[in-house]
Amino acid sequence: MNETDEIVRLLRSRGLKVTPQRIAILRLLKNGGHFNIEQVLNELRKIEPNISISTVYNALNTFVELGILRSFEVDGKTWYEIRKKPHINVVCEDTGQIIDVNVDVSTIERKIRSMGIMIRDLTIVVRGNCISPSLSGGNSQK
Amino acid sequence: MNETDEIVRLLRSRGLKVTPQRIAILRLLKNGGHFNIEQVLNELRKIEPNISISTVYNALNTFVELGILRSFEVDGKTWYEIRKKPHINVVCEDTGQIIDVNVDVSTIERKIRSMGIMIRDLTIVVRGNCISPSLSGGNSQK
DNA sequence: ATATGTGCAAAGGGTTTGCAGATAT
DNA sequence: ATATCTGCAAACCCTTTGCACATAT
């Protein structure tokens, strides 16, 4: 079964219509990585040149509501990623890049659940400097 | 030493001018809790009726930059809290309320640092339902 | 005296909405 | 055939900015 078939099945299983725009968005995100709207649009327009920003927002919001994607916000911008097991999103203040770091969050989850809270989503964001200032030789903070 | 004196000293130590607006904002936040702009404005206007939203934003941003406060975003809105040791911010989707839950984050921090990343800020946000749906008797999710 | 802060209004930037036409089922 | 989706433009909301006046030092 190829990648597109998988996506088509996913969409159908959620009762969504299969459109080229939705397929393109899921193809972009399904293999990991983090994308903000600007990046999603840039990538998608290579494939679907006329795709509109509202279609992208609509699709991303739908996918987040259905639990296919998850989103989090950094500096007023929303980032989207495929939903997988909880992890740390490390935002490098030098490069703007976001990387995933896996950690065991079962202790955190257990504590939250023990308080009678049903967990819907867990976001861990670290802002930091991935390039050591001493090595990069200067003040590269924004 | 009373609360206001402490705040005055804090402001002076950071080279900031001591204004009634800044004092009021720090008095509101220094004892804990989470506030968004609307809440800060509502509270402050009981004391400083003419305080403007831009003054509040200016002050909050200044305090965040100086490390007195920290901020994080949920659903497009910025929340402010006094900077203290890392913890989980639990956002209840039923009530909109935010509560702190203390956890040991040293494992997370160690892992991030071992990758050569200098940590500037750590945010952990859990979205959940603090009122058990079975107890509250219905669908109260937004 | 003067650098800094405040308040107001306007501008900015990211996201959502309304709607007519297009598309998937 | 028709419910859903797309693309466009306008609207929205939160936040920032510019500037004249006020205040703290």
Side-chain angles (χ1 to χ4, degrees):
Chain A
M1 174 161 73
N2 71 28
E3 197 181 33
T4 302
D5 285 347
E6 261 181 63
I7 291 170
V8 169
R9 280 165 202 230
L10 175 61
L11 290 171
R12 288 205 211 286
S13 74
R14 304 307 184 105
L16 298 174
K17 289 192 171 172
V18 178
T19 67
Q21 295 85 347
R22 283 171 173 170
I23 292 173
I25 291 170
L26 287 178
R27 283 180 72 91
L28 177 64
L29 282 149
K30 78 184 292 294
N31 293 321
H34 308 78
F35 298 86
N36 59 33
I37 262 284
E38 187 185 356
Q39 294 170 330
V40 174
L41 266 181
N42 286 345
E43 290 304 312
L44 289 190
R45 286 193 166 145
K46 295 175 184 169
I47 303 154
E48 295 279 328
N50 295 318
I51 197 167
S52 85
I53 195 168
S54 57
T55 297
V56 176
Y57 273 117
N58 283 339
L60 291 171
N61 288 343
T62 299
F63 297 152
V64 169
E65 281 159 23
L66 293 176
I68 298 169
L69 302 181
R70 55 183 307 287
S71 66
F72 58 95
E73 295 155 56
V74 178
D75 290 340
K77 292 185 187 174
T78 305
W79 291 81
Y80 301 88
E81 64 182 353
I82 198 83
R83 182 176 290 275
K84 54 189 171 186
K85 72 173 192 294
H87 55 270
I88 312 173
N89 292 111
V90 180
V91 182
C92 177
E93 295 188 338
D94 299 305
T95 64
Q97 193 186 358
I98 298 184
I99 60 170
D100 284 351
V101 175
N102 286 311
V103 278
D104 178 50
V105 297
S106 56
T107 309
I108 290 178
E109 291 176 333
R110 202 174 314 120
K111 181 146 192 182
I112 299 293
R113 291 203 183 99
S114 75
M115 302 174 69
I117 292 159
M118 165 79 85
I119 299 174
R120 301 292 183 189
D121 186 64
L122 169 59
T123 299
I124 307 176
V125 174
V126 170
R127 302 165 134 287
N129 301 94
C130 56
I131 300 166
S132 163
S134 56
L135 293 177
S136 63
N139 175 10
S140 52
Q141 279 181 257
K142 67 157 187 236
Chain B
M1 174 161 72
N2 71 29
E3 197 180 34
T4 301
D5 284 346
E6 263 181 65
I7 291 170
V8 169
R9 280 167 202 229
L10 176 61
L11 291 171
R12 288 205 210 285
S13 74
R14 306 307 184 102
L16 298 174
K17 289 190 171 172
V18 177
T19 68
Q21 294 86 345
R22 284 171 172 170
I23 292 173
I25 291 169
L26 287 179
R27 283 180 71 92
L28 177 63
L29 281 150
K30 77 184 292 294
N31 294 319
H34 308 78
F35 297 86
N36 59 32
I37 262 285
E38 188 185 356
Q39 293 171 331
V40 174
L41 266 181
N42 285 345
E43 291 304 313
L44 289 190
R45 286 192 166 146
K46 296 175 183 169
I47 303 153
E48 294 280 327
N50 295 318
I51 196 167
S52 84
I53 194 167
S54 56
T55 297
V56 176
Y57 273 116
N58 283 339
L60 291 171
N61 289 343
T62 300
F63 297 152
V64 169
E65 280 159 23
L66 293 176
I68 298 168
L69 302 181
R70 56 182 307 286
S71 65
F72 59 94
E73 296 156 56
V74 178
D75 291 340
K77 292 186 186 173
T78 305
W79 290 82
Y80 301 87
E81 64 182 355
I82 198 83
R83 181 175 291 273
K84 54 189 170 185
K85 71 172 192 295
H87 55 270
I88 311 174
N89 291 111
V90 179
V91 182
C92 177
E93 295 188 339
D94 299 305
T95 63
Q97 192 185 0
I98 298 183
I99 60 170
D100 284 351
V101 175
N102 286 312
V103 278
D104 178 48
V105 296
S106 56
T107 309
I108 290 177
E109 291 177 334
R110 203 175 313 120
K111 182 147 192 181
I112 299 293
R113 292 203 182 99
S114 74
M115 301 175 68
I117 292 160
M118 165 79 84
I119 299 174
R120 301 292 183 189
D121 186 64
L122 169 59
T123 299
I124 306 176
V125 174
V126 170
R127 301 165 135 287
N129 301 94
C130 57
I131 300 165
S132 163
S134 57
L135 292 178
S136 63
N139 175 11
S140 52
Q141 278 181 258
K142 69 158 183 237

